[in-house]
Amino acid sequence: MKHDLLQLIKNSSSDNYSSQCIENIFSLYENVQYSHGIDSLIEIIYKWFNKNYNIKDFKSTFYNLEIDYNQVLFQKGNDFYLDNLTCKTFIIEVHYYKNLVIAINADNENDFAKIENDSIILSSMFFLLNPIIKDFIIQKELLQNSLKDHITGFYNRKYLDECLRNSQLANCNDKSTAFFMIEVDRFKSVIDEFDYEIGDKVLIELAKVIKSIIPPEATCIKLTGYEMLVLINNINEQRAYEIAKDIISKFANSEVLVNFYTGQTLKKTACVGISIYPEHSSSKVQVIKYADIALQEAKNIGRSTPLVYKKEIESSITLF
């Protein structure tokens, strides 16, 4: 690809088309350097394809082959299959098992023919952009890791604080959103009887149970040492209560391996407090507080208890 780029630069001195291509590529290169992150960078690339190749259907996906994970970073236009006859893909290797795939789908055969004819030019362009794309993806991963709990994989308290500060918590503006405050019953006894490693295993098991029941778009946050907050959009109180019961039931039947050699296992239970935004309050901070109040009252009632916040149970308990 480096050779192709150098050859294109060499040809630009005598060939008008090559000269125009070089101008377009370096114009794009200059623009992406002023982007604010990988998301805005990819949007700039999309606009470039739209302007130069009339591309309306565009998708960029990040793949982590090591853990079989993929995430769509940016998409415009209609969805399409990568094996479409008018689809062209470009793979940017970020790491030996991490790739960014940019896929474009032409409206017609003529537009696709132009893309195919310029395939060397486009490959040269991505060769030039590769270091910038790598840096932005690494920055994004570092930021995401700083906002994640390393035990459960859930977001951490820092993420919650950032979202509350920027009013971006779970995109729940003007939507009915259920807030679940979840805590393992008598978690401290696990630490006292065993150790922190077994305690972590219990939290990991609870996180697995939660993820297996809630919708994939739900937001999960680990707050304190053993308290978790889950947000689910577009849900009413009755459905929220059913989900809480499902989490409690499945977790109560789960086993955590304590001793590999003896086969000893441990079973624990959990309580769930529920509050609904904006039904209980238009303040998200207050709704979180209400979910915590409901949780504390559920724990007072007994193990494996789900409870929806009611004004009658309000106490002086505060989360913040």
Side-chain angles (χ1 to χ4, degrees), residues 41-42 45-46 49 58-61 63 80 82 87-92 99-104 125-126 129 133:
L41 180 149
I42 294 173
I45 293 175
Y46 159 71
F49 271 108
F58 179 101
K59 182 192 291 185
S60 67
T61 309
Y63 289 88
F80 57 92
L82 298 185
C87 174
K88 181 77 173 178
T89 59
F90 302 91
I91 300 175
I92 297 96
N99 295 321
L100 177 70
V101 176
I102 291 179
I104 57 177
M125 178 192 76
F126 280 111
L129 297 180
I133 292 172

Side-chain angles (χ1 to χ4, degrees), residues 161-320:
D161 292 341
E162 288 289 329
C163 288
L164 290 173
R165 188 177 299 113
N166 298 316
S167 300
Q168 295 177 340
L169 187 56
N171 296 318
C172 58
N173 294 325
D174 302 321
K175 295 179 180 178
S176 177
T177 303
F179 285 60
F180 301 77
M181 195 71 76
I182 307 169
E183 186 176 305
V184 177
D185 294 324
R186 301 182 184 179
F187 181 76
K188 190 175 182 299
S189 65
V190 177
I191 307 300
D192 294 339
E193 185 174 350
F194 299 101
D195 53 32
Y196 283 99
E197 182 180 354
I198 301 302
D200 288 347
K201 287 184 177 181
V202 171
L203 295 177
I204 290 169
E205 184 61 32
L206 176 57
K208 286 180 180 178
V209 167
I210 292 170
K211 293 295 283 186
S212 71
I213 291 172
I214 62 174
E217 66 274 11
T219 301
C220 302
I221 304 168
K222 182 168 175 282
L223 296 176
T224 63
Y226 48 92
E227 202 170 49
M228 302 180 190
L229 175 66
V230 175
L231 285 72
I232 303 179
N233 283 332
N234 300 317
I235 187 173
N236 59 30
E237 183 179 306
Q238 181 180 350
R239 179 60 186 141
Y241 187 76
E242 291 171 356
I243 289 175
K245 288 199 300 182
D246 289 343
I247 291 172
I248 288 170
S249 175
K250 188 169 182 178
F251 182 62
N253 290 308
S254 300
E255 293 184 344
V256 173
L257 183 63
V258 173
N259 190 308
F260 175 79
Y261 298 101
T262 65
Q264 181 186 4
T265 59
L266 172 68
K267 283 188 174 184
K268 291 296 292 180
T269 58
C271 285
V272 181
I274 306 162
S275 61
I276 309 295
Y277 169 92
E279 180 181 330
H280 292 141
S281 176
S282 59
S283 164
K284 300 181 186 73
V285 172
Q286 194 66 27
V287 174
I288 295 172
K289 175 184 174 182
Y290 288 158
D292 190 56
I293 290 172
L295 171 64
Q296 302 310 318
E297 183 61 23
K299 289 165 61 180
N300 291 336
I301 294 172
R303 298 184 183 186
S304 294
T305 301
L307 189 67
V308 178
Y309 170 80
K310 302 294 181 187
K311 192 170 181 61
E312 303 82 67
I313 66 171
E314 187 168 354
S315 66
S316 60
I317 300 171
T318 57
L319 181 62
F320 297 96

